[in-house]
């Protein structure tokens, strides 16, 4: 079966599913599900045997002289308290396979931190379960990925019960594959990856942790008895996106794109896609979002269809995990530590276009070059540091373009670009920086912003999305940071932070750190496991 033919078949299937077709869709979908189950059954047995063998080897090492690596992996056993149900500890005997759909699992961003923290929590709760990650990172080995997880996030996992299955079709979800109708192309392309994933292995529970909701619709149509879950970082389309097309009030990457006949066509296309996306979301058994902002949009889009399908679970907010405790232990907040901090504006974010690095560069340029700021004593020696992961050549090109922009703005000697920094490097920068920056419009959550707060940085964030609604809020009777929307607003906020007295600065840093306690790794694990237990229950015969 060729991929183009399969792709067209899925397009037709989606059309019939939305606009009618009943048995015309269900019968071939169930037949395909039966075929995939049969095709992957032998691999399942081999995989389980491999896990058992690796576990035996790992256990034998535990009885030999301990190595530093052994000690690292065993940290997972102490990191999370086992969950309880009805007040009694669970025995964790469930032995199923949980599939995590995350084609870019080695990217090193906030979404990947959620993935690995989720797997760590799952391993602790169900030690005998197998966590399968469907990934397209063919250039990375299992040991390499886990080592990167440890270095980048300081998350220690149990290797024997983690399996990586490599997808060969990841190109079908790359934005570059679809110069036009990108949203629809990527979404339908994810169906090809779902077929690829289920050809490799049909799991007992299937969870999308990267935002490809159409893969869950594929699972529900072909194998409806497999429970499905979604952790939504950002809705594929939202009412804010539809509003961004307006020429006067639009913001973001598509600001003002609704003008003319092409703009009207785009508006119609987006509304039709929103209807399809809403239908897809109505099929998911358990839905989690990373913020109140995302929850509101997903409820609006998926809620009506979920009610029609009698989905009993609500859309729950599960805030992403942040290494709050580690940052508190590593970085002090007092008068002595304040003397060690420099006038560094730190922006931690993947080098993606929506992160709006160019806005932050222009804002910083205004701070250090505009006479009303540059002549102030507080502005002297200010520096901007941009830290982020580079996923592929497009990201590398973007970093190059940003370097050129810094040169054009005449601030290249005051700006540092740090790509793919390790966790110890990030800790070092968090410890000596004074201000944390976020530039993305409608950032879904903002893990980096929480890291700023936990490290005691004063945040200057975009006046939208998760950073404004959930993170940089008033706490204990005072502000924990500042908001801005454009270059002038950011420059003014930067200057205001630098002009605070030492006492005001330390007090705001302490309020920010106290506020960050809402986003600890333990809080994430508890909320995550509460939702995954629903899916495990469904595997035990509750899903019909």
């Amino acid at each position: 079966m060729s991929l183009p033919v399969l792709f067209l078949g899925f397009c037709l299937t989606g059309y019939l599913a939305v606009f009618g077709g009943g048995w015309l869709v269900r019968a071939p979908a169930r037949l395909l599900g039966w075929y995939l189950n049969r095709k992957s059954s032998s691999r399942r047995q081999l995989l389980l045997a491999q896990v058992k063998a690796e576990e035996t080897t790992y256990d034998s090492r535990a009885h030999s002289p301990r190595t530093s690596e052994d000690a690292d992996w065993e940290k997972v056993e102490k990191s999370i308290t086992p969950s309880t149900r009805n007040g009694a500890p669970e025995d964790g005997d469930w032995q199923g396979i949980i599939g995590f759909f995350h084609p870019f699992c080695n990217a090193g961003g906030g979404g990947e931190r959620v993935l690995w923290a989720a797997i760590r929590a799952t391993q602790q709760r169900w030690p005998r379960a197998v966590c399968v990650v469907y990934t397209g990172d063919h250039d990375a080995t299992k040991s390499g990925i886990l080592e990167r997880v440890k270095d980048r996030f300081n998350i220690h996992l149990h290797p024997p019960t983690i399996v990586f299955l490599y997808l060969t079709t990841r190109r079908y979800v790359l934005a570059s594959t679809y110069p036009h109708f990108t949203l629809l192309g990527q979404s339908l392309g994810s169906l090809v990856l779902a077929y690829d994933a289920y050809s490799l292995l049909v799991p007992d529970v299937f969870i999308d942790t990267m935002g490809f909701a159409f893969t869950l619709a594929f699972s529900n149509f072909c194998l409806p008895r497999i429970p499905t879950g979604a952790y939504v970082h950002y809705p594929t389309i939202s009412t804010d996106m539809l509003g961004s097309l307006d020429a006067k009030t639009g913001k973001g990457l598509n600001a003002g794109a609704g003008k003319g006949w092409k703009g009207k066509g785009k508006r119609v296309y987006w509304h039709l896609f929103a209807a399809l996306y809403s239908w897809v979301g109505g099929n998911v058994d358990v839905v989690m979002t990373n913020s109140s902002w995302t929850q509101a949009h997903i409820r609006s889009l998926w809620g009506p269809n979920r009610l029609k399908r009698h989905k009993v679970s609500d859309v729950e907010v599960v805030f992403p995990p942040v290494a709050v405790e580690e940052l508190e232990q590593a970085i002090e907040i007092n008068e002595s530590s304040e003397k060690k901090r420099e006038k560094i504006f730190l922006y931690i974010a993947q080098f993606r276009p929506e992160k709006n690095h160019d806005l932050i560069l222009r804002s910083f340029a205004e701070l250090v070059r505009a006479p009303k700021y540059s002549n102030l004593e507080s502005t002297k020696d200010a520096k901007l540091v941009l830290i982020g992961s580079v996923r592929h050549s497009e990201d590398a090109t973007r970093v190059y373009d940003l370097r050129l922009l810094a040169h054009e703005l005449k601030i290249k000697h005051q700006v540092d670009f740090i790509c793919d920094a390790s966790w110890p490097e990030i800790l070092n920068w968090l410890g000596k920086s004074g201000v944390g920056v976020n530039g993305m419009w409608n950032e879904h959550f903002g893990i980096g912003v929480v890291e700023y707060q936990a490290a005691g940085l004063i945040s200057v964030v975009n006046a939208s999305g998760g950073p404004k609604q959930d993170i940089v809020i008033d706490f204990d009777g005072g502000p924990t940071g500042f908001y801005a929307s454009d270059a002038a607003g950011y420059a003014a906020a930067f200057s205001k932070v630098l002009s605070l007295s030492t006492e005001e600065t330390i007090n705001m840093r302490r309020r920010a750190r106290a506020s960050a306690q809402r986003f600890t790794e333990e809080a994430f694990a508890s909320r995550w496991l509460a939702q995954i237990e629903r899916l495990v229950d469904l595997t035990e015969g509750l899903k019909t």
Side-chain angles (χ1 to χ4, degrees):
M1 185 184 297
S2 69
L3 289 175
V5 171
L6 181 64
F7 183 86
L8 292 174
F10 283 136
C11 291
L12 178 61
T13 299
Y15 176 83
L16 290 173
V18 176
F19 299 105
W23 65 271
L24 290 176
V25 175
R26 287 194 295 271
R30 301 297 190 273
L31 183 61
L32 178 59
W34 173 84
Y35 165 75
L36 292 172
N37 222 342
R38 183 179 179 184
K39 180 181 180 181
S40 68
S41 60
S42 59
R43 182 187 293 272
R44 180 188 181 94
Q45 299 305 316
L46 289 172
L47 182 148
L48 292 174
Q50 176 187 335
V51 168
K52 185 176 181 180
E54 289 189 20
E55 191 72 75
T56 301
T57 302
Y58 181 82
D59 288 343
S60 66
R61 287 180 58 194
H63 293 91
S64 61
R66 288 166 56 86
T67 66
S68 60
E69 183 180 1
D70 294 329
D72 285 340
W73 293 126
E74 288 177 9
K75 288 182 180 180
V76 67
E77 300 175 3
K78 302 176 182 179
S79 59
I80 301 167
T81 302
S83 63
T84 63
R85 187 180 300 173
N86 298 326
E90 290 292 333
D91 57 14
D93 275 348
W94 187 70
Q95 302 179 47
I97 296 175
I98 301 180
F100 293 84
F101 188 81
H102 207 105
F104 297 88
C105 76
N106 206 34
E112 286 66 57
R113 175 183 279 278
V114 170
L115 169 68
W116 303 121
I119 289 177
R120 179 175 62 181
T122 304
Q123 285 186 321
Q124 178 64 18
R125 172 63 183 80
W126 295 283
R128 302 174 70 183
V130 178
C131 296
V132 169
V133 180
Y134 299 100
T135 180
D137 295 304
H138 284 267
D139 58 339
T141 63
K142 174 178 176 176
S143 60
I145 293 174
L146 296 182
E147 187 67 25
R148 177 174 166 84
V149 171
K150 184 174 68 173
D151 291 343
R152 176 68 180 85
F153 303 119
N154 196 32
I155 291 177
H156 304 262
L157 302 169
H158 185 64
T161 55
I162 298 179
V163 176
F164 293 92
L165 295 181
Y166 293 88
L167 306 171
T168 60
T169 54
R170 192 171 71 177
R171 64 187 181 279
Y172 285 97
V173 295
L174 294 176
S176 58
T177 304
Y178 310 99
H180 307 288
F181 300 101
T182 307
L183 289 178
L184 182 62
Q186 287 182 290
S187 296
L188 295 178
S190 71
L191 294 172
V192 180
L193 269 74
Y195 175 84
D196 190 0
Y198 272 32
S199 295
L200 295 171
L201 179 74
V202 174
D204 297 307
V205 173
F206 186 66
I207 305 173
D208 167 47
T209 52
M210 203 170 177
F212 293 112
F214 280 59
T215 62
L216 302 171
F218 175 92
S219 180
N220 276 297
F221 259 79
C222 296
L223 292 152
R225 293 189 64 83
I226 293 179
T228 55
Y231 187 94
V232 185
H233 296 273
Y234 199 86
T236 304
I237 194 165
S238 67
T239 54
D240 285 351
M241 285 179 63
L242 296 173
S244 72
L245 297 175
D246 188 83
K248 294 182 179 180
T249 61
K251 295 182 179 180
L253 297 177
N254 293 282
K259 296 183 293 185
W261 67 269
K262 286 187 177 180
K264 292 181 180 178
K266 186 164 191 165
R267 195 182 298 274
V268 171
Y269 156 55
W270 275 14
H271 277 281
L272 291 175
F273 179 80
L276 183 59
Y277 182 64
S278 299
W279 173 82
V280 165
N283 289 286
V284 186
D285 294 306
V286 170
V287 181
M288 297 166 274
T289 66
N290 64 344
S291 69
S292 302
W293 182 89
T294 307
Q295 180 193 50
H297 283 280
I298 290 298
R299 277 178 172 170
S300 173
L301 290 163
W302 291 6
N305 282 295
R306 288 178 60 75
L307 286 176
K308 289 179 183 178
R309 291 169 175 80
H310 308 291
K311 298 298 180 183
V312 296
S313 64
D314 192 11
V315 177
E316 300 289 345
V317 174
V318 178
F319 289 127
V322 184
V324 173
E325 297 91 340
E326 182 181 357
L327 288 164
E328 286 181 340
Q329 294 172 6
I331 301 171
E332 295 181 341
I333 300 177
N334 50 45
E335 292 185 5
S336 177
S337 64
E338 194 64 28
K339 296 176 182 178
K340 300 176 183 178
R341 290 192 186 265
E342 304 173 32
K343 297 176 183 179
I344 295 175
F345 293 83
L346 182 66
Y347 189 14
I348 302 176
Q350 286 182 314
F351 288 106
R352 305 202 312 258
E354 64 269 23
K355 295 301 184 180
N356 224 350
H357 288 87
D358 56 339
L359 170 63
I360 302 305
L361 285 170
R362 296 181 190 282
S363 303
F364 183 74
E366 183 166 343
L367 174 72
V368 298
R369 296 191 61 80
K372 65 177 178 178
Y373 300 127
S374 60
N375 293 330
L376 299 174
E377 182 66 27
S378 60
T379 306
K380 292 182 179 179
D381 301 321
K383 184 178 182 179
L384 175 65
V385 176
L386 306 176
I387 297 179
S389 59
V390 176
R391 301 166 299 170
H392 39 57
S393 59
E394 291 180 10
D395 286 355
T397 301
R398 191 167 296 110
V399 173
Y400 177 77
D401 291 339
L402 290 171
R403 290 182 186 275
L404 289 179
L405 178 59
H407 179 77
E408 293 171 5
L409 295 171
K410 299 180 180 180
I411 56 173
K412 68 174 184 176
H413 297 299
Q414 295 163 279
V415 179
D416 282 346
F417 291 84
I418 302 174
C419 301
D420 298 318
S422 66
W423 179 245
E425 289 179 282
I426 293 173
L427 268 180
N428 180 53
W429 283 108
L430 286 168
K432 64 183 180 181
S433 300
V435 184
V437 184
N438 167 274
M440 180 176 172
W441 174 69
N442 269 346
E443 174 84 84
H444 34 88
F445 179 67
I447 286 180
V449 179
V450 180
E451 289 176 342
Y452 300 156
Q453 290 192 328
L457 277 68
I458 295 176
S459 301
V460 178
V461 302
N462 196 279
S464 63
K468 182 180 181 182
Q469 291 185 21
D470 291 324
I471 305 174
V472 185
I473 60 175
D474 285 358
F475 191 85
D476 197 20
T480 56
F482 300 92
Y483 310 125
S485 300
D486 53 25
Y490 273 97
F494 292 166
S495 178
K496 190 170 184 178
V497 174
L498 294 177
S499 66
L500 293 174
S501 68
T502 301
E503 182 181 2
E504 290 173 323
T505 299
I506 292 176
N507 287 338
M508 189 175 290
R509 296 194 195 285
R510 287 174 174 164
R511 285 196 300 271
R513 170 168 286 182
S515 175
Q517 290 297 322
R518 297 171 294 137
F519 311 111
T520 63
E521 293 172 326
E522 285 75 9
F524 166 81
S526 176
R527 295 189 182 104
W528 168 267
L529 291 175
Q531 300 307 310
I532 303 307
E533 282 177 350
R534 294 175 181 268
L535 295 174
V536 171
D537 284 345
L538 291 174
T539 68
E540 297 172 351
L542 298 182
K543 185 172 183 181
T544 57

